[in-house]
PDB file of all heavy atoms in Angstrom:
ATOM      1  N   THR A 312     -40.097 -72.171-114.579  1.00  0.00           N
ATOM      2  CA  THR A 312     -39.602 -70.938-115.190  1.00  0.00           C
ATOM      3  C   THR A 312     -40.555 -69.793-114.860  1.00  0.00           C
ATOM      4  O   THR A 312     -41.511 -69.548-115.595  1.00  0.00           O
ATOM      5  CB  THR A 312     -39.506 -71.103-116.728  1.00  0.00           C
ATOM      6  OG1 THR A 312     -38.779 -72.310-117.029  1.00  0.00           O
ATOM      7  CG2 THR A 312     -38.807 -69.930-117.378  1.00  0.00           C
ATOM      8  N   PRO A 313     -40.319 -69.124-113.746  1.00  0.00           N
ATOM      9  CA  PRO A 313     -41.217 -68.032-113.367  1.00  0.00           C
ATOM     10  C   PRO A 313     -41.248 -66.947-114.441  1.00  0.00           C
ATOM     11  O   PRO A 313     -40.200 -66.536-114.936  1.00  0.00           O
ATOM     12  CB  PRO A 313     -40.607 -67.488-112.068  1.00  0.00           C
ATOM     13  CG  PRO A 313     -39.214 -68.013-112.027  1.00  0.00           C
ATOM     14  CD  PRO A 313     -39.209 -69.292-112.807  1.00  0.00           C
ATOM     15  N   SER A 314     -42.444 -66.541-114.830  1.00  0.00           N
ATOM     16  CA  SER A 314     -42.587 -65.628-115.967  1.00  0.00           C
ATOM     17  C   SER A 314     -43.723 -64.645-115.727  1.00  0.00           C
ATOM     18  O   SER A 314     -44.633 -64.902-114.944  1.00  0.00           O
ATOM     19  CB  SER A 314     -42.875 -66.427-117.239  1.00  0.00           C
ATOM     20  OG  SER A 314     -41.863 -67.404-117.444  1.00  0.00           O
ATOM     21  N   VAL A 315     -43.664 -63.531-116.442  1.00  0.00           N
ATOM     22  CA  VAL A 315     -44.707 -62.516-116.293  1.00  0.00           C
ATOM     23  C   VAL A 315     -44.871 -61.790-117.630  1.00  0.00           C
ATOM     24  O   VAL A 315     -43.902 -61.629-118.366  1.00  0.00           O
ATOM     25  CB  VAL A 315     -44.347 -61.547-115.141  1.00  0.00           C
ATOM     26  CG1 VAL A 315     -43.040 -60.797-115.382  1.00  0.00           C
ATOM     27  CG2 VAL A 315     -45.472 -60.555-114.863  1.00  0.00           C
ATOM     28  N   GLY A 316     -46.106 -61.388-117.935  1.00  0.00           N
ATOM     29  CA  GLY A 316     -46.315 -60.687-119.207  1.00  0.00           C
ATOM     30  C   GLY A 316     -47.729 -60.171-119.341  1.00  0.00           C
ATOM     31  O   GLY A 316     -48.548 -60.319-118.431  1.00  0.00           O
ATOM     32  N   TRP A 317     -47.991 -59.578-120.506  1.00  0.00           N
ATOM     33  CA  TRP A 317     -49.342 -59.084-120.785  1.00  0.00           C
ATOM     34  C   TRP A 317     -49.632 -59.191-122.275  1.00  0.00           C
ATOM     35  O   TRP A 317     -48.725 -59.353-123.089  1.00  0.00           O
ATOM     36  CB  TRP A 317     -49.526 -57.632-120.333  1.00  0.00           C
ATOM     37  CG  TRP A 317     -48.490 -56.653-120.831  1.00  0.00           C
ATOM     38  CD1 TRP A 317     -47.462 -56.112-120.105  1.00  0.00           C
ATOM     39  CD2 TRP A 317     -48.376 -56.087-122.158  1.00  0.00           C
ATOM     40  NE1 TRP A 317     -46.724 -55.261-120.895  1.00  0.00           N
ATOM     41  CE2 TRP A 317     -47.267 -55.213-122.149  1.00  0.00           C
ATOM     42  CE3 TRP A 317     -49.103 -56.224-123.344  1.00  0.00           C
ATOM     43  CZ2 TRP A 317     -46.860 -54.492-123.282  1.00  0.00           C
ATOM     44  CZ3 TRP A 317     -48.704 -55.512-124.473  1.00  0.00           C
ATOM     45  CH2 TRP A 317     -47.590 -54.656-124.427  1.00  0.00           C
ATOM     46  N   ALA A 318     -50.921 -59.098-122.585  1.00  0.00           N
ATOM     47  CA  ALA A 318     -51.357 -59.003-123.984  1.00  0.00           C
ATOM     48  C   ALA A 318     -52.368 -57.876-124.076  1.00  0.00           C
ATOM     49  O   ALA A 318     -53.124 -57.642-123.134  1.00  0.00           O
ATOM     50  CB  ALA A 318     -52.000 -60.309-124.428  1.00  0.00           C
ATOM     51  N   ALA A 319     -52.368 -57.184-125.198  1.00  0.00           N
ATOM     52  CA  ALA A 319     -53.321 -56.089-125.393  1.00  0.00           C
ATOM     53  C   ALA A 319     -54.039 -56.273-126.714  1.00  0.00           C
ATOM     54  O   ALA A 319     -53.433 -56.680-127.710  1.00  0.00           O
ATOM     55  CB  ALA A 319     -52.604 -54.748-125.376  1.00  0.00           C
ATOM     56  N   GLY A 320     -55.321 -55.984-126.724  1.00  0.00           N
ATOM     57  CA  GLY A 320     -56.107 -56.072-127.946  1.00  0.00           C
ATOM     58  C   GLY A 320     -55.797 -54.887-128.846  1.00  0.00           C
ATOM     59  O   GLY A 320     -56.044 -53.747-128.480  1.00  0.00           O
TER      60      GLY A 320
END
Side-chain angles (χ1 to χ4, degrees):
T312 309
S314 305
V315 61
W317 52 255

